Amino acid sequence: MTAIAVLGNGRVGGNLATALARAGHEVTVADRTPGAAAAAARTAQVVINATPGAGSLDRLAALREELRGKILLDVANATVDGPDGLPARLIHPGSSLAEQLQEALPETRVVKTLNTMLFPVMTAPATLSQAPDAFLSGEDPQAKQIVCELLVDLGWRKEWITDLGGIETARATEAAILFVPHVIRSSGFAPFAISIAR
C-alpha cells in the first residue's frame, strides 16, 4: 500500500483516486481549499499532479517543502485552449511542463506518464480495441519503477509501459496533446490513446 495524494479533483484526479483506492492504496484527494494541497502532499509518498496544466507550475512550486523527497507523478499537459475549449498550443514549446516542474522542484522526483490518452483510458487501458502505450519520462529509476507498479495496479500490462528515458523526453509525449482536438473533432469524444505499433 502506498500513501498517495491526488492534487486536483476533476475528471482526471477523481478517476485516478477512485481506481487507486480500489487497488488498495491510501488515497487523499486535495481540492482547491486553501492549505488542502499542502496537507495532502505532506503525508504522501507519491503525489499525483492532476491539476489543470496551465497553472500546475505555480501551484506545485509553492509546495516545494511539502514535495521534498517525494515522487511527483505528473499527468498534466500545459496548453492554451482554443475557442472550443480544446488544446490549441503548448505553453512550454521547446521544453515541457515536466521539465519545468523538475527544475522548480529539484529535490522532488518527477515522473511524467499517462498524458497521451483521454482520461478514461488511464484506469481502463484494456477497454480499447488494441493495446495502448503508457510512457515514462524521469531522471530517477527507482521513482519510475514505483510509478510502473502503480500503473500495473491501474490495469496496465508491463509490456504496454515504455520508459523513454530522462525528463526531457516528456517534450515528445506532451506534444502529443496536439493530436487530441483533431481526433475529437474527427471522431467524437471516444476514449483513445497513443499506441506504438510493433
Side-chain angles (χ1 to χ4, degrees), residues 1-5 25-28 40-41 43-47 70 150:
M1 183 184 75
T2 303
I4 300 170
H25 298 287
E26 181 185 329
V27 180
T28 303
T43 60
Q45 298 162 279
V46 175
V47 177
K70 308 292 175 72
L150 292 177

Side-chain angles (χ1 to χ4, degrees), residues 73 113-114 134 136 146-156 161:
L73 195 167
T113 192
L114 295 180
L136 299 177
I146 290 169
V147 169
C148 185
E149 291 166 6
L150 292 177
L151 293 182
V152 170
D153 287 345
L154 291 174
W156 289 86
I161 303 169

